Amino acid sequence: MDISVTLRDAADGGVIARTTVPSENLPPAFDGTQMLEAAGQVWRVVRAEPAFREEYELIGGLELTLRRVEQEPRVEMLPARDIHFSMSSISDRLPDIAGPLDGRTVLLVKDDLWRDVELVGPSGATAIEENLLAIRRIQDEFRSGPGFTEIHLRTTPAEPLAGVTLTVEDLAAGLGTTTHFVRPVAIEGRGVVHGGYALTVADGVHVYGQVDTASRVTVAGVHRTGIAGAEVAGAFGGLLRERGLELVDWRGGLRTDDAEILAGWFGAPPQPLWR
C-alpha cells in the first residue's frame, strides 16, 4: 500500500516535501539510524510519527522529522528514488511563532506556501533571477508524475524588502483598502506568526507577512484563494511601480510590475501545489 509521507526540517519545523511512498520501500521501524537524500542534502531521520510499519500502514500516513548532516555516515539510506516533492520550490525557513491560535480570527497559510508569491524590492533583483532559473531547471529536468524528484530551497532574498520603507498602512492605502481589514497571520499546524499581519485586499486576495519593531514591513506575501478583476491588478501595479517593487510568483516563473500582466495573473485560478 502507498503511505502519505510528510518530511519536516527539525531546524524550523518547515515542510520539506509531501510525497507518497510504497509501504514496502519504508523500514519496518524507524530507530534514528535511517538516512535519506532530499533537496540535494543528506538528512538523518530524528523522529518518525508513527515509528512502526503496522502503525503507519494502519493510518496510511507518516511524518518524518529530518536533520541535515555534514557528512554521510555508513548507515541505512532510504532510496532517493522513493522521495518525490509535491512542489518545485519552497522557502528554506519559516517565521518565528508568537503563540497558538487561541480561537483568534487569522489568515491561515500552509507552511510550504509561506512567501510562495511575494513583493520584492530592488535589492533582491539578482536573487530573483538566480532563483527563477533554478526553479525552472527543477520543473524542466526533475518532474516525475505530479511532483518532482528534486526541490529548490530558496535561501535568498533573506530580506525581500531591504531598503524599502513601507508600512501596513502604506500597503492598505496603495491597494485601495483600509487597515480595518488587518488581522494576524498564522502558519497551519504551528501558530500565530510573530510580528505578523494579514491585509484583505479583495475577496480571495490577501497580503500578509511581518513587520519589524519600527512597524516597517519586512515581508509582503500575496495569498490567493480565488480570482480578482482588473481593479485589483491595477492597484497592485500602481503600488509596485510607485515603490520600485516587483511581484514574484516563484513557482509560476513570474516577476512583474505591469498591470496588464498582473490582470492575467489575478484573473486566472490559483495554481496547484504541484508546480
Side-chain angles (χ1 to χ4, degrees), residues 52-130:
F52 299 97
R53 176 173 288 163
E54 57 268 27
E55 295 176 345
Y56 61 70
E57 284 187 341
L58 182 64
I59 64 175
L62 173 66
E63 182 169 292
L64 301 179
T65 300
L66 313 177
R67 190 178 303 280
R68 287 186 180 91
V69 296
E70 298 299 324
Q71 187 174 1
E72 176 184 333
R74 295 182 178 278
V75 295
E76 178 186 357
M77 294 284 289
L78 297 181
R81 67 179 180 275
D82 293 332
I83 303 300
H84 286 70
F85 303 95
S86 58
M87 299 170 66
S88 54
S89 179
I90 59 174
S91 177
D92 78 324
R93 64 186 61 195
L94 291 172
D96 292 337
I97 299 300
L101 297 183
D102 288 337
R104 284 179 280 183
T105 300
V106 301
L107 174 68
L108 200 59
V109 177
K110 289 183 178 294
D111 47 12
D112 45 9
L113 289 178
W114 178 259
R115 293 179 56 190
D116 187 53
V117 179
E118 64 179 325
L119 309 187
V120 181
S123 65
T126 299
I128 293 174
E129 182 176 355
E130 292 174 347

Side-chain angles (χ1 to χ4, degrees), residues 128-188:
I128 293 174
E129 182 176 355
E130 292 174 347
N131 279 292
L132 290 180
L133 284 173
I135 295 167
R136 175 60 62 187
R137 177 173 175 267
I138 296 294
Q139 294 172 342
D140 289 345
E141 300 180 17
F142 297 98
R143 187 177 295 277
S144 177
F148 307 89
T149 56
E150 294 289 342
I151 190 171
H152 175 66
L153 296 178
R154 300 188 308 277
T155 60
T156 59
E159 298 181 14
L161 296 176
V164 177
T165 300
L166 190 67
T167 65
V168 175
E169 289 76 14
D170 294 332
L171 283 173
L175 295 174
T177 186
T178 74
T179 54
H180 175 73
F181 300 107
V182 173
R183 52 184 162 153
V185 61
I187 302 293
E188 187 174 302

